[in-house]
Structures are given as structure tokens and as C-alpha cells.
Amino acid sequence: MWLRVWALFLRYVYLHKRSVVRTMEIFFWPVMNLLLWGFVSKYLGRLAGPGTVTYLLGGVVLWDLLYRSQHAVSLSITEEFWERNIVNLFAAPVRPVEIVLAACGVGFVRALVMTVSSAFIVYAAFGFNILAMGPSLGWFYLSLLVFGWAVGLFTMGLIFLFGRAAEGLIWGIPFLIQPLTAVFYPVDVLPAWLQPVALCLPSTYVFEGMRAALAHGTAPLDLLLRAAAGNGVFLVLGGVFFAWTLERVRVKGALARQAME
Amino acid sequence: MDTDQVIGVKGLTKRFAAVTAVDGLDLDVRRGEVFGLLGQNGAGKTTTIQLLLGLTVPDAGDVAVLGLPLASRRREILARVNFSSAYVAMPSNLTVLENLTVFALLYGVRRPRKRIMELLELLEIPDTARRVCGGLSSGQLTRANLCKALINDPELLFLDEPTASLDPAIAAKVRRTLKQIRQERGVTLVYTSHNMREVEEMCDRVVFLRQGRAAAQGSPAQVRQQAGRASLEEVFIDLAEQGRG
Ligand SMILES: Nc1ncnc2c1ncn2[C@@H]1O[C@H](COP(=O)(O)OP(=O)(O)OP(=O)(O)O)[C@@H](O)[C@H]1O
Ligand SMILES: [Mg+2]
């Protein structure tokens, strides 16, 4: 089993080795995004006080982590459709879960590379050290990575369900989540009726925890635990949804048709 | 148990919204033979292959491959089977060697590098090893895909229009290689093609599908005889016209 996961992972290693564009992409968007937000927060810091910079930049770095993790999972599977390779994969003795694990592995590596490089940039350019979040940072990282996998699985499921037309969701879904999950502002800024929705997302606890950690050096344990519990639920739901849509695709014969129109 | 039966299908049926692509099909493919799935565009050939690989789930019917029930032992079967189609590709931005390495690992091939080099030699494309698949000619690509299909030394090989888009010389070469493999390893081939001369050359037995049903079957000679025709091409055209009439 792990040999096959490794094989599928290797496929993406080769891809990044071959494709300069693909490799640059890991850096390009996050860097531009960081620079933009870095300057914005610097300016806001001038207006509102120095704490602003750290909250905003912390939010940007952690948000990107979630975004990239989700992206890597959904893109790596969609890619097989684009490449007309999906039938080769499903005609091989591969379990869907192996494909998913490889995709999550890709998400992990891409997110790790991205976070480490972002951390350097924000430190060098804006003097913000993400290590200021303290030991909770490791937990934040893990939580967002896992939530990204779960959202990635949901996204893939939706693409299986609605076909290629839904590919835009890979980019669209994060924008649905972003305003709700209190990346740049605390949950209590949201209107009362939206707050329960925000509290359903495990990532919300991470961003709340991040602000606490930046203010006091540690995040309250209950926030971390809630993030973990939420992630467990979302990961299971995402996996079940993905498996269900995959089965539907096999019934519809769309896996092999690939057009998925 | 009948150990010489490689594919046993009873009452296989697949409906898509409006069309019944495969309709109560029975098949009995024997070990070591080349079995041709023939018929017009849309007759249900590709769908049948997909059902036999478990890529698509049937609405009705029993499928046994290599003596095992497909529904419950699919992965075991797939490890001993392989597939190539003119309409399926390996990732275009990886080299042939990289792609084949990935598939060798997926199929758990021992000493993958050696195996890959042997296959590239066999299909006479060793010089493509370090070129990306997207940059190959369709003849080279088809042969690279055949390498993938042979990577696990399959007992049963599904080939969906393997010679489509090949020039006559390369098509002949591919046929020669397939015959050679079959002779050396006793692999069973399930073959679709629209080239009736090729089918007559390659296939031991054929089934003509029409709207998902078997309209004629037997050895090419039997099928010609039953239809009172001199070639499979004429049989094909007859069946197609009956279908329209
Ligand atoms: N996933 C699908 N959804 C809906 N209809 C389908 C699907 N797959 C196949 N069909 C229909 O089923 C029928 C059989 O198609 P199939 O691809 O098996 O034909 P074929 O014999 O391989 O034809 P060709 O010679 O053109 O390759 C066609 O009418 C086709 O439109
Ligand atoms: Mg076809």
C-alpha cells in the first residue's frame, strides 16, 4: 500500500521537477499576497497601532497554509482528468484512499515549503516573526493542514458530482470560507447570525487561537482541542462524501468518459 | 472450475440515461486467445471494456475475470490485468521513463528499471525514455502506452483501438509485437478495432455488437460463413445497414 502511495507521490515530484511554472507557483502567489498584505498592514499599523501588523500578517501566513493544502489535494486529482490519466490510475490496483493519501502528502509538502518561505519573507521584509506565536504554532499548522485536506476532499467530491464545470470551485470554495472563518478579525465582528456558522469551522478556532497566542504567547487549550475535534469531523465527512461521489461517478460511467461535462 | 476461462460474463447490462449501451451480453473468453470486440461507433465496445475493468458499475449481470468475481475481488484482478486505449494517456509533462516508473511501482513490479528498459526495447522506442510524453508522436505515444500496459506482465490485456492513428508500418509493427508477446507469454487479448483486415489477421474469435447486443459471434471464418460474405468488412457493413433498416 505505501509503495503505491509513494508511487503516486513520486508522480508529483516528477511533475514539479519538470514544470518550472508549477514549482514557481508554490512561491509566486503567496509571496505577492504577503507583500500586498504586508504593506497594507504596515499602513494600517500607522493608523491603528503596531499590533495590527502582527495580527494581519499572522492571518495571511496561516490562511495561505489552509488555502494551499486544500488546493494541492483538489488539484492533484483534477490534474489526472486533464491529463486523461485517470483511467490508467483506476485500472491499476490502486485504492482510492491511496490516491487521497498521496494527494494529502503533496498538500503537506507544498504547504510546508510555502509556510517556511513565507515566514522568512515576513520576517525579513516586515520584521514579523511567526515563531512569536509560540509552541501553539505547530498545532495551528497541523490543524489548518488537515482542514485543508478535508475541504480539498469536499471540493473534489463536488467536481465529481457536477463535472468539469465545477472546477472553478477549487478556487472559489476558499473564498466562501475566508470571510466566515475569522482570518483577519475576531468572530465577534461578524453579525450574530453568522457567528454560529463561523464556529462550525475548525479553522476559526485556529485564527482565534493565533490572536490569543500573539497577544499572550500561548493559545487557550480549549481552542486547540475544538479545532482538533472539528477537523476530525470534517475529515471523516469529507472522506465519506468523496467516496460517495466517486461511486456515483462509477455508476454514471463518467470516470472513463473523462469529459465529465 | 473452468481454469481456461479468462472472462465469463452473463447478462451484462449497462444503461445510461437514454441509451442502453450494453444489453444482456454473454461472453466467454478463453485463455491465450485474441478476442475481438467489434461493432459500429456507439455499439458498446468501450463500455464493455470499462465494465470488465470495473471502471463502470453494471446495472445487471455477473462478471468473472480470471476465475474471480469482479465485484468483490477487483483489486486482485486488476493486478494481473492491464489496459491500453488510444484515448487514454499518461501525464504529458513527465518523461516516458518517469511515467513508466510510477506505473511499475503502482503494479508492484520488481526491478522496475530493468523491466522498463526491456519493454522499451521490445517496442523499439528506447530513445524516448528521457523525453516527455507530451512531445512524442502518436506512434511513439501509443507504444509508450503499450509499455505501460505490459509493465505488470498481465495475463489479460484489454486494448481499445490500439492501432488507431498509427501509420500502416507502425501498426504492423505493433501487431507483430502483440503476437510475439502472446506467443511467448500466453497472454489473452481483448481487442477492439475498426480495421477489419487487422481483426481478421489478429483475432481467434470475435463478437459483433449492435446496440449492446451480440449480433454475431465465432471465429472470423465462422462469422463470414454464417453471413455468406467473403470478408468481415462486408459482414460489418451488412450488420450496420440492418441496424439502420
Ligand atoms: N458515461 C456515459 N454516459 C452516457 N452515455 C454513454 C456513456 N458512455 C457511453 N455512452 C453511450 O453508450 C453507447 C456506447 O458507447 P461506447 O463508447 O461503448 O461505444 P463504442 O462501441 O466504444 O464506440 P466507438 O467505436 O465510437 O468507440 C453510446 O451511445 C454512447 O453515447
Ligand atoms: Mg470506443
Side-chain angles (χ1 to χ4, degrees):
Chain A
M1 155 151 184
W2 293 108
L3 181 67
R4 288 187 295 271
V5 175
W6 166 243
L8 293 166
F9 183 77
L10 193 61
R11 179 224 183 293
Y12 293 98
V13 175
Y14 287 143
L15 176 66
H16 286 99
K17 205 173 83 185
R18 291 278 149 228
S19 167
V20 185
V21 178
R22 204 61 68 88
T23 311
M24 286 318 292
E25 223 180 52
I26 304 184
F27 302 102
F28 181 76
W29 298 112
V31 169
M32 294 324 279
N33 202 24
L34 271 179
L35 289 178
L36 173 71
W37 280 95
F39 292 126
V40 169
S41 42
K42 219 167 154 178
Y43 174 59
L44 286 178
R46 217 190 284 163
L47 299 178
T52 332
V53 180
T54 53
Y55 288 170
L56 280 180
L57 280 181
V60 175
V61 174
L62 290 187
W63 168 256
D64 247 6
L65 166 61
L66 168 59
Y67 185 46
R68 295 299 142 185
S69 164
Q70 175 260 359
H71 232 197
V73 171
S74 7
L75 259 186
S76 58
I77 299 175
T78 324
E79 174 114 24
E80 306 299 357
F81 281 98
W82 291 338
E83 292 282 3
R84 300 192 299 148
N85 187 40
I86 197 86
V87 174
N88 279 332
L89 289 186
F90 281 93
V94 178
R95 290 193 198 90
V97 65
E98 291 161 353
I99 296 180
V100 169
L101 282 175
C104 291
V106 176
F108 171 73
V109 173
R110 284 190 66 145
L112 186 65
V113 171
M114 197 282 307
T115 313
V116 171
S117 55
S118 302
F120 273 110
I121 291 170
V122 286
Y123 185 66
F126 306 108
F128 168 61
N129 184 356
I130 67 165
L131 295 177
M133 290 179 205
S136 325
L137 179 63
W139 193 255
F140 296 159
Y141 184 88
L142 210 64
S143 302
L144 291 172
L145 182 73
V146 171
F147 188 52
W149 293 345
V151 178
L153 286 173
F154 268 109
T155 318
M156 271 319 301
L158 289 171
I159 293 173
F160 279 157
L161 216 51
F162 298 112
R164 292 195 77 149
E167 262 168 22
L169 290 174
I170 298 178
W171 291 272
I173 287 199
F175 285 99
L176 194 67
I177 296 176
Q178 196 179 29
L180 291 175
T181 197
V183 182
F184 300 120
Y185 39 78
V187 174
D188 57 31
V189 171
L190 291 170
W193 60 275
L194 268 181
Q195 292 185 15
V197 182
L199 293 177
C200 287
L201 301 170
S203 47
T204 305
Y205 301 102
V206 173
F207 292 111
E208 295 281 81
M210 173 199 78
R211 279 181 290 271
L214 285 174
H216 316 110
T218 55
L221 189 64
D222 72 306
L223 286 183
L224 301 184
L225 291 178
R226 269 186 243 182
N231 271 325
V233 172
F234 270 88
L235 201 57
V236 169
L237 287 179
V240 169
F241 183 64
F242 178 79
W244 176 73
T245 53
L246 185 61
E247 192 53 32
R248 258 186 59 110
V249 161
R250 282 180 63 205
V251 169
K252 286 201 302 187
L255 196 62
R257 281 228 126 183
Q258 298 174 324
M260 306 246 319
E261 56 310 320
Chain B
M1 176 180 270
D2 182 354
T3 51
D4 264 355
Q5 185 182 57
V6 173
I7 300 176
V9 166
K10 284 244 165 335
L12 189 64
T13 301
K14 181 67 193 176
R15 284 177 218 101
F16 296 114
V19 270
T20 304
V22 177
D23 193 356
L25 188 66
D26 297 340
L27 293 175
D28 172 25
V29 178
R30 320 301 303 176
R31 186 168 296 277
E33 74 178 347
V34 180
F35 188 87
L37 274 176
L38 314 179
Q40 288 172 268
N41 293 133
K45 306 179 293 292
T46 300
T47 306
T48 302
I49 290 183
Q50 284 162 3
L51 290 166
L52 293 176
L53 284 166
L55 294 169
T56 304
V57 184
D59 291 312
D62 288 322
V63 179
V65 179
L66 300 168
L68 304 171
L70 179 67
S72 56
R73 312 275 294 268
R74 178 163 180 263
R75 281 190 350 106
E76 232 171 300
I77 294 169
L78 290 181
R80 295 160 60 191
V81 164
N82 214 318
F83 152 87
S84 166
S85 156
Y87 305 103
V88 172
M90 293 189 288
S92 60
N93 35 23
L94 269 59
T95 65
V96 172
L97 186 61
E98 289 168 344
N99 269 322
L100 292 176
T101 303
V102 170
F103 281 101
L105 294 174
L106 286 181
Y107 281 96
V109 174
R110 267 181 289 153
R111 309 189 55 195
R113 188 60 172 263
K114 180 164 171 280
R115 175 84 187 138
I116 291 167
M117 287 309 172
E118 281 169 10
L119 287 171
L120 291 174
E121 292 289 344
L122 180 70
L123 287 148
E124 300 175 30
I125 47 166
D127 49 317
T128 61
R130 302 201 174 277
R131 291 174 53 193
V132 291
C133 285
L136 302 182
S137 75
S138 60
Q140 291 167 328
L141 207 54
T142 308
R143 284 179 286 166
N145 285 335
L146 271 177
C147 288
K148 175 253 145 189
L150 293 167
I151 197 104
N152 59 335
D153 199 0
E155 293 165 55
L156 167 62
L157 188 52
F158 293 95
L159 299 170
D160 198 358
E161 303 190 31
T163 52
S165 85
L166 296 185
D167 76 43
I170 294 185
K173 198 186 276 178
V174 166
R175 284 197 295 272
R176 224 180 308 127
T177 312
L178 289 174
K179 281 187 199 157
Q180 184 190 339
I181 293 162
R182 177 201 174 193
Q183 216 153 42
E184 286 171 5
R185 308 176 192 257
V187 49
T188 309
L189 298 179
V190 173
Y191 204 97
T192 81
S193 170
H194 288 298
N195 179 343
M196 290 303 124
R197 293 209 5 235
E198 169 175 307
V199 169
E200 270 172 285
E201 178 191 336
M202 293 293 294
C203 296
D204 303 304
R205 281 196 308 138
V206 298
V207 57
F208 270 98
L209 296 182
R210 196 171 60 206
Q211 291 167 6
R213 275 186 287 247
Q217 60 179 317
S219 69
Q222 284 168 341
V223 169
R224 279 194 314 253
Q225 225 163 33
Q226 276 164 19
R229 288 296 188 176
S231 72
L232 282 188
E233 186 136 352
E234 289 170 20
V235 179
F236 188 107
I237 294 169
D238 281 355
L239 286 169
E241 276 165 6
Q242 283 168 31
R244 251 170 237 130

